[in-house]
């Protein structure tokens, strides 16, 4: 392989890598923009809407904690039977 072919392949690889990274950057920018808009919309919510959202999050956390506790209880029971 000559130097010319080597450089052509190297620059071609760099171009492909730069294009792929550009797509990643565009996706990350779009996600950050959407998150900022979501934050803005949440900030504009009324007090009752905000309270309902917080209560929903608390309920989800309680459900997750109860699931974890059930799994731990099952592990404890399994360990005691051995």
């Amino acid at each position: 392989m000559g130097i010319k072919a080597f450089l052509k392949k190297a620059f071609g690889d760099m171009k492909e890598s730069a294009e792929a990274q550009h797509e990643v950057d565009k996706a990350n920018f779009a996600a950050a923009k959407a998150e900022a808009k979501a934050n803005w919309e949440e900030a504009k919510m009324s007090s009752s809407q905000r309270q309902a959202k917080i209560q929903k999050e608390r309920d989800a956390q309680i459900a997750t904690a109860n699931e974890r506790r059930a799994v731990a209880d099952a592990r404890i029971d399994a360990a005691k039977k051995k």
Side-chain angles (χ1 to χ4, degrees), residues 8-22:
K8 186 175 183 177
K9 182 179 181 331
F11 283 112
D13 290 345
M14 287 190 309
K15 180 181 178 183
E16 288 176 18
S17 178
E19 289 171 354
Q21 185 61 45
H22 180 67

Side-chain angles (χ1 to χ4, degrees), residues 64-78:
T64 301
N66 288 337
E67 290 173 8
R68 289 176 41 214
R69 183 174 180 191
V71 169
D73 288 341
R75 288 176 48 204
I76 290 169
D77 291 342

